[in-house]
Structures are given as C-alpha cells and as structure tokens.
Amino acid sequence: QVQLVESGGGVVQPGGSLRLSCAASGFSLSIYPMHWVRQAPGKGLEWLVVISSDGSYTRYADSVKGRFTISRDNSKDRLYLQMNSLRGEDTALYFCGRDRPYMDVWGKGTTVTVSS
Amino acid sequence: DIVMTQSPDSLAVSLGERATINCKSSQSLLYSSDNKDYLAWFQQKPGQPLKLLIYWASTRESGVPDRFSGSGSGTDFTLTISSLQAEDVAVYYCQQYYSSPRTFGQGTKVEIK
C-alpha cells in the first residue's frame, strides 16, 4: 500500500527548532521529487518546498527560505524538514507529498504549534 | 508567482445535482512543448490525506468516481461533480504545477443543500 506518514510535530516556543520526518512505504522514495505543504488552522494550503529525487535541487517558498531546510535519505525512504527560527505564523498542519509531477500521494500530516 | 483564484468560496448543492467549481490562473498553465495543462484538483476531508482527483486538467486519477470531471485550458478551469453524493462534502483545491512555487487556489467548500 502506497503511503506517506509524517511525524515529528509538536509544540515549540518562538525562535525554536523542530525536525519533521516523512516515511514512505509501498514505493521507493528515491525515484520521486518530494514536497512539503502546510495548512494553518482554518486556512488553505500553502506549498513550502520541493526537493529533486537525488536531493541535488531544492526550491523554497519565500515564507520559509533561509529558515527551513528540506533533505532526504533515499536509503531509508525518508524525507525531512528542518525548521529553525520558528514563528507563530508557522503554526500549521504539515504534509509531505509525492511528485509525478502532480502530487499524487499525500500523508495525513503532522501538527506544529509555535507558542510561548 | 502564479496566482490561483477559485470561485465560489463555498456552495451548497442538493443531493444528485451538479456542482461546479471554477479555477483561474494568473498566467497560462498550458506548456507548449507537450500541449498539456499543468493543473490538478484535490479533495480534502478532515483527518484524511488530500486526495488527487484530476491531473493534466482533465485526467481522472485511478479510482476516482466518474461523476468527477475536469475541463478547461490555458487560464480557466472547471471541476464538475455531475451528481453530488453525501460523501462528496469536502473542500476542493486546484493547484498549478507549471512552475514553482506550486500555488493553490484558496479552496471551495462544498456542502449539501
């Protein structure tokens, strides 16, 4: 069964850091570019970042550029999002998605809350 | 950045009736080299992963009921649910994958009248 499962969310203080993980099963992560997308409470979807299948290319949304870093470990079928200098506006449900180039498989998301 | 604008923001449709959602992009999503429109439609229900319904503007994803259809080209696109079922209550999003950032429409909430 093709599946993505996000983890690593939680409550963090402003200025803090968090590392999200996305585990792939039922397919090999190594052949697909991957994305992170988020959804603030009661809001729409915001695309954050894409990484190429081999990790050599990344592209970030302006809202997270310089603060977030995407990476992947294809040997473990895992995608990551390192989030630094977190702000209140980063509070959201974070999803990973597979690229074909449309995003055909998504996880259920992991919740990040930035609050003091 | 390509701006995606959906209309309406919400709509209420009777069971068995047609629901139509529009999506307009600020620039053409038609890629000349392959003559494909880089536009997808998604369905979102609480607690569930986003579900891909339509890609290349009009290609239905495997397993998606044929009451869902996509149309349009260039900058104007439509998602149609031909006969609304109770399980179709959800929020629907369009997204362009023509260029990064991969922008979404603001979403359209579909309810039963």
Side-chain angles (χ1 to χ4, degrees):
Chain A
Q1 179 186 0
V2 172
Q3 189 171 269
L4 293 169
V5 179
E6 302 91 341
S7 60
V11 180
V12 61
Q13 292 187 339
S17 298
L18 214 52
R19 189 196 197 202
L20 306 184
S21 179
C22 168
S25 59
F27 70 99
S28 175
L29 195 72
S30 64
I31 62 175
Y32 297 98
M34 295 292 294
H35 302 260
W36 285 99
V37 169
R38 71 183 177 186
Q39 186 171 37
K43 302 296 185 182
L45 300 166
E46 180 188 11
W47 176 86
L48 297 179
V49 59
V50 61
I51 186 169
S52 60
S53 58
D54 64 359
S56 62
Y57 170 84
T58 58
R59 171 72 188 265
Y60 294 86
D62 288 344
S63 59
V64 303
K65 195 179 300 181
R67 300 189 300 123
F68 290 12
T69 302
I70 191 172
S71 62
R72 62 194 299 158
D73 186 338
N74 287 337
S75 67
K76 297 181 178 179
D77 285 325
R78 288 242 176 196
L79 177 74
Y80 303 100
L81 186 66
Q82 177 67 43
M83 304 186 297
N84 298 331
S85 303
L86 283 162
R87 308 165 180 166
E89 55 264 38
D90 296 318
T91 294
L93 183 62
Y94 285 73
F95 304 95
C96 58
R98 186 175 80 169
D99 182 285
R100 290 192 63 194
Y102 43 87
M103 295 171 67
D104 69 331
V105 178
W106 298 68
K108 289 185 178 182
T110 186
T111 300
V112 173
T113 302
V114 183
S115 174
S116 55
Chain B
D1 298 359
I2 298 175
V3 178
M4 305 298 291
T5 305
Q6 288 181 230
S7 62
D9 290 334
S10 65
L11 75 161
V13 176
S14 300
L15 288 172
E17 295 300 306
R18 179 184 299 260
T20 301
I21 301 169
N22 299 301
C23 176
K24 188 174 184 67
S25 59
S26 61
Q27 66 185 72
S28 177
L29 304 182
L30 180 63
Y31 195 39
S32 56
S33 65
D34 58 11
N35 201 37
K36 290 182 176 180
D37 287 283
Y38 282 54
L39 188 282
W41 288 97
F42 298 94
Q43 178 190 66
Q44 186 179 38
K45 296 181 180 180
Q48 296 184 19
L50 274 151
K51 182 179 182 180
L52 173 67
L53 299 175
I54 302 287
Y55 57 95
W56 302 129
S58 61
T59 301
R60 196 179 303 113
E61 172 72 330
S62 176
V64 172
D66 61 7
R67 63 180 180 273
F68 290 92
S69 64
S71 62
S73 184
T75 61
D76 291 280
F77 303 90
T78 300
L79 175 70
T80 301
I81 309 173
S82 61
S83 176
L84 192 74
Q85 304 300 302
E87 60 265 33
D88 300 334
V89 170
V91 180
Y92 294 83
Y93 292 92
C94 61
Q95 186 202 25
Q96 63 82 17
Y97 49 100
Y98 184 92
S99 67
S100 290
R102 301 269 193 102
T103 41
F104 291 89
Q106 78 275 20
T108 296
K109 187 175 185 179
V110 174
E111 300 173 307
I112 305 295
K113 185 187 293 183

